[in-house]
Amino acid sequence: MTTRPTWREARAIAAAAGAAATRPPEAVPLDRAVGRRLAADLVTPIDLPHFASAAMDGWLVAGEGPWKLVAAEAPGSGQARPIVTGAHIPAAAAATMAVLRSESGVAEGGALHSTATGEPRPGQHIRLPATEAEHGELLICAGTLLNPAHVALAAATGADDLTVQATPTVALVFTGDEVVESGLPEAGRVRDSFGVQLPALIGMLGGRATGAARVPDTLDDTVAALRGARADVIVTTGGTGGSPADHVRAALLALGARFLVDGVAMRPGGPTRIAELPDGRLVVALPGNPLAAMVAAITLLEPLLAGLAGCAPVPTRTVRATAVDGRPGSTVLVPYSEVDGRAVVAAWRGAAMLRGLAGATGLLVVPPEGLHDGAAAESLPVPWLNSPWQPVEN
């Protein structure tokens, strides 16, 4: 029997498989860029602001008051004209003029008087060019997860679209004759826990679910579903074991797939498989147990999708652990929550249990020898804390 790769090795294989098939960046309109990662630095081609303007409603004044009210765009010394917030001020005169706020002045008989002591000072309430950024200045670095303020800033520079990293497409294939999609399941049946959450989870992991198929537990149906799935990545759930009802591995072999990972030395999620079809499509076959499948998706599917998008996987971080038993020959991934600076593992962490993961901060990486109390340990954040936005559908 072939030795299964370690969890760390499987993660590296997944990342390399994605990187080998990296999708090119794409330009998207600004209103569809939120939640995407910027592929190239945004450098402003203009000053921000790019012209002098009023910062307040009131009057544009020149020289000392009181001022004669005029209609000229650039009043001369001792003159003033009404102005509104954002209105253009001639650049040559901006440094010597000021805006008197509407609440600080009174206009009577063609003259304007200030009612506020010492107001206005030269240049007061005038926004000068380049006070936010000079042309050629870097505003947003490549790799940034774009939020609404980023997009608004890009618009201020005159951009109509942004070049963002690709969002790999993912087709879902659900197996399991025992699965019911609604209501209370009878004995021997289980509720579907994948169709209701995998599209959103995949979005948080950097992909975009484009369709789903549910197939009976037969080899022919599984082969047909894999053959017909049209996406960069196919994610299957269930059917990865060796029982008479498990057909995913046999279906992949029937299609001529090359296994990159044929099981992983990890718990839960050991039966996870990663394969490449002859046409280049990648397949991530997740186990049927809910926690096992989600752990495999968070830790193995994520680096594959990151590679396809041309970026690095989510890095592990170091936490201070409480004592956790290991499992010889396997990495154990355990949901945990941070309490008083310690990673406290969830009480509910069986392969079919989701209660522990639902309230978890992350997944603790437990080596085969286990962890002693106070040990420095690796962990991965749960993606709903790490990636707040789901990629916009394009």
Side-chain angles (χ1 to χ4, degrees), residues 177-241:
D177 289 340
E178 76 282 8
V179 176
V180 297
E181 296 182 51
S182 62
L184 186 65
E186 300 174 357
R189 300 276 185 165
V190 295
R191 268 298 299 269
D192 168 36
S193 64
F194 294 128
V196 294
Q197 56 91 359
L198 265 183
L201 177 61
I202 285 167
M204 294 174 185
L205 296 177
R208 177 167 59 90
T210 58
R214 295 186 181 276
V215 299
D217 286 331
T218 71
L219 177 59
D220 288 345
D221 286 312
T222 306
V223 169
L226 291 171
R227 181 183 287 122
R230 290 291 171 261
D232 299 322
V233 181
I234 304 168
V235 171
T236 67
T237 61
T240 58

Side-chain angles (χ1 to χ4, degrees), residues 34-45:
V34 173
R36 304 292 296 271
R37 289 198 181 275
L38 191 64
D41 291 343
L42 177 67
V43 175
T44 179

Side-chain angles (χ1 to χ4, degrees), residues 26-29 31-34 36 164-167 169 208-210 391-394:
E26 59 181 336
V28 298
D31 61 357
R32 293 160 69 181
V34 173
R36 304 292 296 271
V164 296
Q165 293 171 352
T167 299
T169 56
R208 177 167 59 90
T210 58
V392 177
E393 292 195 6
N394 292 323

Side-chain angles (χ1 to χ4, degrees), residues 78-322:
Q79 296 180 335
R81 69 170 173 87
I83 197 166
V84 296
T85 302
H88 174 259
I89 294 174
T96 60
M97 292 187 176
V99 170
L100 178 65
R101 298 177 298 165
S102 56
E103 60 266 36
S104 298
V106 174
E108 294 180 322
L112 172 67
H113 300 266
S114 174
T115 59
T117 303
E119 192 174 332
R121 302 182 305 276
Q124 190 173 18
H125 304 313
I126 291 179
R127 298 182 181 129
L128 295 175
T131 51
E132 184 175 4
E134 294 182 352
H135 75 277
E137 189 172 340
L138 173 64
L139 297 184
I140 311 174
C141 294
T144 299
L145 183 67
L146 295 169
N147 63 35
H150 289 132
V151 170
L153 178 61
T157 72
D160 296 315
D161 52 43
L162 288 171
T163 301
V164 296
Q165 293 171 352
T167 299
T169 56
V170 179
L172 300 170
V173 176
F174 303 120
T175 73
D177 289 340
E178 76 282 8
V179 176
V180 297
E181 296 182 51
S182 62
L184 186 65
E186 300 174 357
R189 300 276 185 165
V190 295
R191 268 298 299 269
D192 168 36
S193 64
F194 294 128
V196 294
Q197 56 91 359
L198 265 183
L201 177 61
I202 285 167
M204 294 174 185
L205 296 177
R208 177 167 59 90
T210 58
R214 295 186 181 276
V215 299
D217 286 331
T218 71
L219 177 59
D220 288 345
D221 286 312
T222 306
V223 169
L226 291 171
R227 181 183 287 122
R230 290 291 171 261
D232 299 322
V233 181
I234 304 168
V235 171
T236 67
T237 61
T240 58
S243 79
D246 295 324
H247 302 289
V248 170
R249 189 177 189 280
L252 288 168
L253 288 173
L255 290 169
R258 177 173 67 96
F259 282 96
L260 308 177
V261 172
D262 198 6
V264 187
M266 64 183 282
R267 291 290 184 273
T272 302
R273 307 181 195 281
I274 302 173
E276 182 182 22
L277 293 170
D279 60 7
R281 286 175 298 159
L282 295 168
V283 181
V284 178
L286 303 176
N289 278 317
L291 179 61
M294 291 189 74
V295 165
I298 292 168
T299 66
L300 299 178
L301 175 59
E302 187 278 329
L304 185 143
L305 293 174
L308 281 167
C311 54
V314 172
T316 60
R317 68 187 191 98
T318 301
V319 295
R320 190 67 58 187
T322 50

